[in-house]
Amino acid sequence: MKKLVRAVEPYRHPHGINFKTKAFEAWVKAGGQVAESHYPPRWAHHFAYRYELPTLWKDKKEARLRFVEPVSLSFDTFPDYCHYEIIPFIWDCWPKYFEKVCAWFVKHDVKTAFFTSSQTADRTRERFPKMNIFYVPEGVDSSLYSQGKALTERTIDILEFGRANKQVFDVQLPETVNHLHSRDGKHLFESDEEFRSALADTKICITFPRCDTQPEIAGDIETLTQRYWECMLSRCVMVGRSPKELTDLIGYDPVIQLEKGSEKTQIMDILSNIGAYQSLIDKNRDVAINLSDWTKRMNHVQDCLQELKKYSIL
């Protein structure tokens, strides 16, 4: 019997954003069907995060696509894990969560799963060779990002956002360099709109995979994150290192490799010749416009699900 697959909207936090929402919105835009969410009231969130309801029966005609993080696996799938086959779309399955996710798959008889990390998808296939495991690169809503001004007209010389990278963060640059970076975990910008506006006015953005900046969390998992797409769409010169997933996907390296020990000299040389990088960042934006959008990812997800139905696997 072929099952209907319907997606459930991720929880919308009243005082913040949920990055998983953009993937859900793209599923809808791609024509995917939707089921109503039934998240618990605020006072019951503690329970939903830490405990699970019992499974009494499973619907044989419908499966639920849920957008999840391992840290909030039970909450992100609440309460559908009780009554439906769950098809998880998973971000941030770092090594410390891998066993937890595998145990959850066994407990809830997960047959199909999508991962934004190719390495994690490979390891999961090794653990569950009969499961349908798919790798889908992380995406972004490309319509939100402006191409900005030409590099020579931008006012922010260097931007480091999110995870601090001490290779540049600790480098003593001249006071004339407008260098924006997070300090003590504080946010640089008050809103997403302010952040995107700053990106469109930035010459150099420092970009490293999380396995470089936070190996204690990412371990050896090197994966493509949305920050690369954001920088490419905003036509920033990316300096740091590319994840292999990105270079494999687009066919070239869009990032200027930062040379350890020569950071100051290299950064100042790029700033002094910033106009020479205009053709690179123009190419990067064109490629990102074509390949980065979540709608393209969700079209692929739907193709994968249709293929499973074709062979009566789903």
Side-chain angles (χ1 to χ4, degrees):
M1 180 182 296
K2 298 178 181 179
K3 289 185 178 180
L4 170 69
V5 178
R6 297 205 289 171
V8 176
E9 182 177 13
Y11 180 73
R12 288 188 177 270
H13 298 281
H15 302 296
I17 61 170
N18 187 339
F19 64 86
K20 300 185 284 286
T21 300
K22 292 301 180 185
F24 169 78
E25 291 173 350
W27 168 270
V28 176
K29 190 182 297 185
Q33 296 198 49
V34 175
E36 185 179 357
S37 64
H38 296 283
Y39 294 103
R42 186 70 180 171
W43 58 265
H45 281 194
H46 178 88
F47 172 86
Y49 269 98
R50 290 162 178 79
Y51 307 100
E52 291 187 346
L53 299 171
T55 298
L56 302 178
W57 55 271
K58 292 278 190 177
D59 193 301
K60 295 182 179 180
K61 297 182 179 180
E62 184 175 330
R64 294 286 169 88
L65 177 66
R66 302 300 301 256
F67 301 94
V68 307
E69 296 171 83
V71 69
S72 53
L73 193 51
S74 296
F75 182 84
D76 286 343
T77 57
F78 185 94
D80 289 340
Y81 57 74
C82 295
H83 305 305
Y84 298 94
E85 175 186 340
I86 297 296
I87 301 175
F89 188 101
I90 305 178
W91 285 261
D92 296 348
C93 188
W94 305 118
K96 71 176 182 178
Y97 296 119
F98 184 71
E99 292 302 328
K100 172 186 175 180
V101 170
C102 288
W104 198 89
F105 281 5
V106 172
K107 179 179 180 180
H108 294 285
D109 193 24
V110 173
K111 298 178 175 65
T112 303
F114 295 86
F115 289 88
T116 62
S117 163
S118 60
Q119 288 174 275
T120 307
D122 289 341
R123 293 176 187 183
T124 308
R125 286 191 199 97
E126 292 175 4
R127 180 69 67 90
F128 302 107
K130 295 183 179 180
M131 191 181 293
N132 307 305
I133 303 295
F134 299 95
Y135 160 59
V136 179
E138 190 165 333
V140 74
D141 182 348
S142 60
S143 68
L144 296 176
Y145 298 86
S146 166
Q147 69 175 0
K149 296 173 285 188
L151 286 173
T152 54
E153 299 174 6
R154 298 188 176 200
T155 64
I156 300 172
D157 292 314
I158 307 171
L159 174 61
E160 293 183 77
F161 64 93
R163 304 183 303 276
N165 172 64
K166 293 184 178 179
Q167 265 190 277
V168 176
F169 183 82
D170 288 345
V171 172
Q172 195 67 39
L173 296 171
E175 292 184 0
T176 54
V177 174
N178 185 8
H179 182 193
L180 299 185
H181 50 73
S182 304
R183 290 187 182 275
D184 303 321
K186 294 180 180 179
H187 291 292
L188 270 175
F189 309 105
E190 294 295 326
S191 66
D192 287 346
E193 291 75 16
E194 185 180 339
F195 162 65
R196 290 192 290 266
S197 178
L199 268 182
D201 193 30
T202 293
K203 297 174 184 176
I204 295 174
C205 197
I206 306 302
T207 53
F208 282 92
R210 193 169 193 173
C211 58
D212 289 1
T213 58
Q214 291 183 315
E216 70 280 7
I217 294 176
D220 63 342
I221 299 297
E222 178 188 287
T223 191
L224 166 61
T225 55
Q226 72 177 43
R227 71 164 54 207
Y228 288 92
W229 295 130
E230 291 171 332
C231 293
M232 291 173 72
L233 289 165
S234 304
R235 298 199 304 170
C236 305
V237 176
M238 296 185 291
V239 176
R241 191 171 74 82
S242 287
K244 186 174 183 294
E245 290 177 354
L246 177 58
T247 56
D248 285 349
L249 179 62
I250 68 176
Y252 70 98
D253 191 346
V255 179
I256 298 171
Q257 184 87 24
L258 187 62
E259 300 168 8
K260 193 168 185 178
S262 303
E263 295 89 352
K264 180 177 179 180
T265 301
Q266 188 179 9
I267 290 290
M268 294 307 298
D269 181 65
I270 294 172
L271 286 175
S272 298
N273 299 278
I274 197 66
Y277 297 91
Q278 191 66 47
S279 60
L280 171 64
I281 57 103
D282 289 344
K283 176 182 179 180
N284 288 350
R285 177 173 167 85
D286 289 343
V287 168
I289 287 290
N290 186 45
L291 294 176
S292 70
D293 200 82
W294 269 123
T295 304
K296 183 177 289 288
R297 303 289 185 274
M298 290 302 116
N299 281 327
H300 177 62
V301 169
Q302 291 184 12
D303 289 344
C304 292
L305 295 174
Q306 283 301 122
E307 193 71 11
L308 294 179
K309 290 182 181 181
K310 178 179 176 181
Y311 293 101
S312 300
I313 299 172
L314 178 64

